[in-house]
Amino acid sequence: MKAAGILRGGTIPAIAVVDRTGTVVGWTQAAEELTGYPATDILGRPIGTLLPSDGQGGEPPGTHLPSTGFMEVRRRDGEVVIVRTEAAPLTLDDDAGTRQGFWLVSAIAAATDLSTSALLESLISSFPIAMAIWDKNLRCVWRNEASEQLGDGYPYYRNGRSLTEPIEGIDTEAVQDAMRKVLADGQPVIDREAHWSYEGQERALSISLSPLVGADGRPLGVCSVALDFSNSKARDRLKLLREASVRLASTLDVRKTAQELAELAIPVLADYMTVDLCEEMLPGAEPLQRLAASEAGIPVFRRAGMASVHDGVPESLWGRNEAVFVPQGSPFMEVLHTRRPHFEPVLDTSPGTWLDLNPDRSRTMRARGVHSLIVIPLQARGDVLGVAAFARTSNPAPFTRDDLLLAEELFARAALSLDNARQYTRERQTALALQRDLLPDGLSGTDTVEVASRYLPSDRHKGVGGDWYDAIHLPGSRLALVVGDVTGHGINAAATMGRLRTAVRTLAYLDLPPDQLLTHLDHLMAKDARGFDVTSATCLYTVYDPRTGRCTMAAAGHPPPAIVTPSGDVTFPSLPAGTPIGVGLGTFQSHDLHLPAGTLLALYTDGLIETRHADLDTGMARLGDTLARAASRSATLECVCTTVIGSIVDDTPEDDIALLMARIQA
C-alpha cells in the first residue's frame, strides 16, 4: 500500500501501517520524505529498522511495536530526527477475507509540528518567553518567534546550531552542563537565574529546563524556557505568574481558588480586586433573589473572592458569598455579553456615566479614590464563569496595556483552575448522591446479631469511590454480611458498586455458599466488562448461622475481617487467597469459624488500614489495638464504630472507607 502526499516538506503526517509483529505493510509518500526510505525498501521490514541503536543491547528491532509520544527516528542517510508519533489500532481484511489486527502510525517532525508550535505560541503570546527544543547533541531543533526578541546576545537560539559550537564572546559551558544533567537524571531545572553581559548591558534571565521524554521512556532532548526579567517590574510579574501556577493548581475548591486569585494580584497588579462568579459555579449557595424591573440592578453574580491593600476591604459593598447587584449598562454586564475585557485606565466618574445607575457603588468608589479600572471575563471551554475587576486607589499610576495583558494571562490560568474545580465539585456531588442512594438505608441486624456501619468519602480523588457494605437477612435467622471496594473513583465506580450490590443480594437469596456466590459474581462482572477498561473489585462475604454459631466466609482479594473474642483478643483469620472480582478466574474457597456470643466482627475496606505512610500490616495492627481498647469498655456498637473512625482516620482520608461491624448476641 502506497499513497502520495498532498503537501511537501513534512507538513502532513507520515503514515505507516504495521502488523501485530511490528512489520511495515503500508507506507505513504510523506513517510518516504520524512525518513528517506521508499516503499520498496521498507515494506516487509520491521518498524524497528527506523530506530537508532542505543548501543546497550536494547530490544531487538523486530520486537518494537508502535506507541504514542516523542521518539527518535533514524533516516536513511543516518541523520536522527525527533518526531511525534500517534499509534491507533486498525482492523483490515486480508486477501482471504479474514479480519486482521494492525497499527496505523502517524508521525511528524517536532520542528514542523504545526499544532504544537501554534499551541506554544498562543500560550506565550503575552510575554517574551523564549522557548526552544534541543536534541541529545544540544542542537537546537525548534524555537519560537519570541526567542528572536532576546536579540543577538543569544545567537545559539538558531535552528541547527549546537551549544557545543564556539561562539565568540559567549560562554555556554554552564548551560551545557545543566542540559546534560537534565538528560542524564531526567530531573527538570526550574527557574535558574542566569546573568549575561552583551554590548555593555546586563541582562537577567530566568531559565527552566525540562527533559523531553520519548514514548519508550528515554530522554530525547531538552525543552528550555527563558524569560528576560532584567527590570524589577518584569521580575515581580514573573513571580506573580509563577506563584499563580502553584497556588491555583493546589486546590479543587471553587471559593478557595477565587480567594487565592484575588490575593495574588494585590499589590503587584492592583490595589483592590474582586472575583464574582456565576451562580452555577458555587454549588450549595442559596438561589439568587431576582429584583423587580424597577430596581437599579439584578443579581447576576456572587462574590467569591476579594482583596485590598486596605484592611477589611472597605472598597467592597458586598462580602464573600453575597449576591452582587449589577446594573445594566455597566462594564460588568458589557464584559459578560461581549466576552471582551473592559479597559479604562482613567475612570470617568463624571455625571452621566454608568456609575449613575448604582449610586452606592459610585459613592464608595469616589470615597476610596478608585481612578483606574480593568474588568476581565473569566472564560473556560466556551463558558463565561464570571468576571474579575482590578482597581487602583493608592497607586497613582493608571493601568497600562501591559497590565491588561498580565491580567488576561493570569485569568486565563485561573479560569481553567476554576472550571476544573467546578467540574470536580459537580461530579463529586453527583457521585455522592448516587452512592448514598445505592448504599443501604437503615441497616438492621437480627435478634442474635447487632450491626452498625460507617461510610466516609475521600476528598483527595476526582470523586467518591465504589466502597459498599450490606447486611442481608437469610432464611433460618441467618445473616449475610458483605463489604466491597470497586477500583476507581467517580460516577462510574459508584454505578458499578450499585450493580455489584444488587447482584450480591440476588445471589444471596439463592442461598449460595460464600465461595460459590463470589464465583458467580466474578463471572457476571467479567462478562459485563466492556473494551479494555475492565473494572475489578474486592469483596468479603460472610454468613453467620445462630443455630450452630458458625460463620462461613470467603474473600476476593479483600483484607480479612477483624475478630474480637469475648475475652478481648483480636485476630485476623488467614483466609484462602482469592482473585479480585472481574478477573473471571473464580478461584475462591470458603473458611469456617465458630463465633461464640459476645464476639465482635469488623469488616472494612482498605481505606481504613492503608495510607501513603503505612502498609496493610501496620494498618491492621493499628486497627486491632483500637478495637481491643474500644470493645473492652462495654460500649455500644455505634460507639465502637465512632471510636475506630475517630482514632484511625484523619480529617481528610486518602481513600473512601466502609466499616461494617457486627456483635454476636446470646
Side-chain angles (χ1 to χ4, degrees):
M1 180 175 78
K2 181 177 180 182
I6 300 175
L7 301 176
R8 294 293 182 262
T11 55
I12 64 172
I15 304 295
V17 178
V18 181
D19 66 15
R20 292 296 182 180
T21 67
T23 301
V24 180
V25 297
W27 198 248
T28 65
Q29 181 66 32
E32 178 179 339
E33 294 174 358
L34 176 66
T35 66
Y37 284 95
T40 54
D41 289 354
I42 197 66
L43 292 178
R45 299 178 64 183
I47 189 68
T49 302
L50 302 173
L51 302 180
S53 173
D54 59 6
Q56 299 177 3
E59 64 177 11
T63 64
H64 180 83
L65 290 178
S67 55
T68 296
F70 286 99
M71 62 176 53
E72 292 179 320
V73 168
R74 184 184 62 211
R75 289 173 44 85
R76 190 179 187 183
D77 58 11
E79 180 186 359
V80 175
V81 296
I82 298 176
V83 301
R84 174 170 178 79
T85 64
E86 292 190 12
L90 179 68
T91 302
L92 298 173
D93 293 339
D94 60 15
D95 295 338
T98 304
R99 299 186 69 79
Q100 299 289 339
F102 297 88
W103 288 96
L104 181 67
V105 186
S106 65
I108 189 167
T112 58
D113 188 340
L114 300 181
S115 62
T116 301
S117 300
L119 175 62
L120 291 173
E121 291 296 342
S122 67
L123 289 174
I124 60 177
S125 58
S126 300
F127 292 90
I129 300 177
M131 301 185 69
I133 295 177
W134 313 78
D135 64 14
K136 291 189 292 188
N137 296 320
L138 307 188
R139 178 169 55 97
C140 182
V141 297
W142 177 88
R143 66 189 179 104
N144 67 331
E145 293 181 3
S147 63
E148 298 179 1
Q149 299 181 24
L150 292 177
D152 295 334
Y154 310 95
Y156 50 83
Y157 277 97
R158 301 288 185 272
N159 287 341
R161 168 163 269 178
S162 174
L163 279 173
T164 59
E165 299 177 19
I167 302 175
E168 185 177 355
I170 294 181
D171 182 11
T172 64
E173 289 294 333
V175 178
Q176 291 182 49
D177 293 342
M179 285 192 178
R180 290 193 178 98
K181 187 175 186 301
V182 170
L183 284 171
D185 57 24
Q187 297 298 316
V189 175
I190 306 298
D191 191 23
R192 170 176 175 163
E193 189 168 330
H195 295 272
W196 304 82
S197 177
Y198 179 72
E199 295 184 348
Q201 295 183 354
E202 290 291 332
R203 306 285 291 276
L205 288 181
S206 168
I207 299 178
S208 296
L209 305 174
S210 299
L212 183 65
V213 180
D216 59 358
R218 301 177 184 179
L220 298 181
V222 176
C223 177
S224 67
V225 179
L227 177 61
D228 190 342
F229 61 99
S230 301
N231 59 77
S232 59
K233 186 175 182 180
R235 187 180 299 109
D236 290 341
R237 296 184 173 208
L238 173 63
K239 182 180 179 181
L240 171 62
L241 291 177
R242 198 182 296 140
E243 189 173 357
S245 298
V246 175
R247 291 175 62 177
L248 295 180
S250 64
T251 177
L252 287 173
D253 182 277
V254 174
R255 291 177 175 83
K256 184 177 180 181
T257 300
Q259 184 61 27
E260 291 267 13
L261 180 61
E263 294 172 356
L264 277 170
I266 306 299
V268 176
L269 184 56
D271 299 323
Y272 164 57
M273 181 186 170
T274 60
V275 180
D276 298 332
L277 300 179
C278 299
E279 185 177 5
E280 66 170 7
M281 287 291 296
L282 298 168
E286 291 294 327
L288 297 177
Q289 298 292 324
R290 298 294 174 183
L291 298 182
S294 60
E295 302 266 0
I298 59 173
V300 179
F301 308 110
R302 194 177 289 276
R303 184 135 298 171
M306 60 183 187
S308 170
V309 294
H310 303 106
D311 294 337
V313 196
E315 300 92 337
S316 179
L317 292 173
W318 300 279
R320 291 187 65 196
N321 299 320
E322 292 184 354
V324 177
F325 295 89
V326 182
Q328 294 288 349
S330 68
F332 306 95
M333 293 299 293
E334 171 195 344
V335 165
L336 184 64
H337 293 315
T338 65
R339 302 192 177 195
R340 292 193 298 269
H342 175 83
F343 178 58
E344 196 171 357
V346 179
L347 182 65
D348 186 0
T349 58
S350 61
T353 66
W354 66 273
L355 288 171
D356 292 344
L357 302 173
N358 194 333
D360 291 338
R361 191 193 297 261
S362 177
R363 283 193 297 270
T364 301
M365 293 179 71
R366 290 189 177 97
R368 296 299 172 184
V370 176
H371 62 86
S372 193
L373 179 68
I374 291 176
V375 183
I376 300 290
L378 276 164
Q379 301 182 77
R381 301 178 177 94
D383 295 334
V384 176
L385 313 180
V387 296
F390 302 80
R392 282 188 175 169
T393 56
S394 301
N395 185 350
F399 286 121
T400 65
R401 287 287 174 182
D402 287 341
D403 296 323
L404 176 61
L405 289 174
L406 177 60
E408 289 182 301
E409 172 70 15
L410 179 63
F411 270 78
R413 305 183 184 200
L416 288 175
S417 296
L418 285 168
D419 192 55
N420 289 336
R422 175 186 64 166
Q423 293 191 37
Y424 164 80
T425 302
R426 180 182 299 167
E427 179 179 336
R428 175 175 171 77
Q429 288 184 332
T430 302
L432 271 173
L434 174 63
Q435 189 169 49
R436 287 186 181 123
D437 286 342
L438 294 173
L439 287 172
D441 185 19
L443 200 69
S444 64
T446 66
D447 292 339
T448 56
V449 181
E450 177 191 2
V451 297
S453 62
R454 292 290 187 275
Y455 172 74
L456 280 77
S458 168
D459 287 330
R460 299 190 181 183
H461 293 280
K462 295 182 179 179
V464 298
D467 294 21
W468 91 93
Y469 56 87
D470 207 349
I472 307 168
H473 292 251
L474 300 176
S477 299
R478 291 174 300 152
L479 184 68
L481 302 173
V482 57
V483 292
D485 185 0
V486 177
T487 58
H489 292 82
I491 294 176
N492 290 336
T496 301
M497 176 272 288
R499 295 200 304 270
L500 283 176
R501 178 172 174 255
T502 301
V504 169
R505 276 189 161 264
T506 303
L507 293 170
Y509 293 145
L510 296 178
D511 212 7
L512 296 175
D515 57 340
Q516 293 184 28
L517 183 142
L518 293 181
T519 299
H520 284 285
L521 188 65
D522 181 42
H523 291 163
L524 283 173
M525 190 170 182
K527 185 177 180 180
D528 191 48
R530 297 290 184 265
F532 297 101
D533 187 15
V534 179
T535 302
S536 63
T538 64
C539 185
L540 174 64
Y541 182 79
T542 71
V543 176
Y544 174 72
D545 188 344
R547 295 171 301 181
T548 63
R550 186 178 68 177
C551 183
T552 304
M553 58 186 68
H558 202 87
I563 299 177
V564 186
T565 66
S567 62
D569 296 329
V570 181
T571 61
F572 293 88
S574 180
L575 301 183
T579 58
I581 299 297
V583 177
L585 298 178
T587 54
F588 310 109
Q589 297 180 37
S590 292
H591 182 71
D592 290 339
L593 291 172
H594 180 72
L595 302 182
T599 301
L600 199 66
L601 189 65
L603 288 70
Y604 51 89
T605 55
D606 59 2
L608 181 65
I609 60 174
E610 187 177 28
T611 67
R612 290 176 297 174
H613 309 293
D615 57 17
L616 288 175
D617 291 337
T618 302
M620 290 169 66
R622 186 180 179 187
L623 173 61
D625 293 340
T626 304
L627 283 171
R629 292 194 303 270
S632 64
R633 299 170 185 168
S634 301
T636 65
L637 203 56
E638 290 289 343
C639 290
V640 175
C641 280
T642 301
T643 300
V644 169
I645 295 298
S647 302
I648 296 180
V649 182
D650 297 331
D651 294 335
T652 55
E654 297 178 10
D655 197 2
D656 287 25
I657 295 172
L659 173 64
L660 176 61
M661 301 196 69
R663 175 179 282 155
I664 308 301
Q665 306 284 9

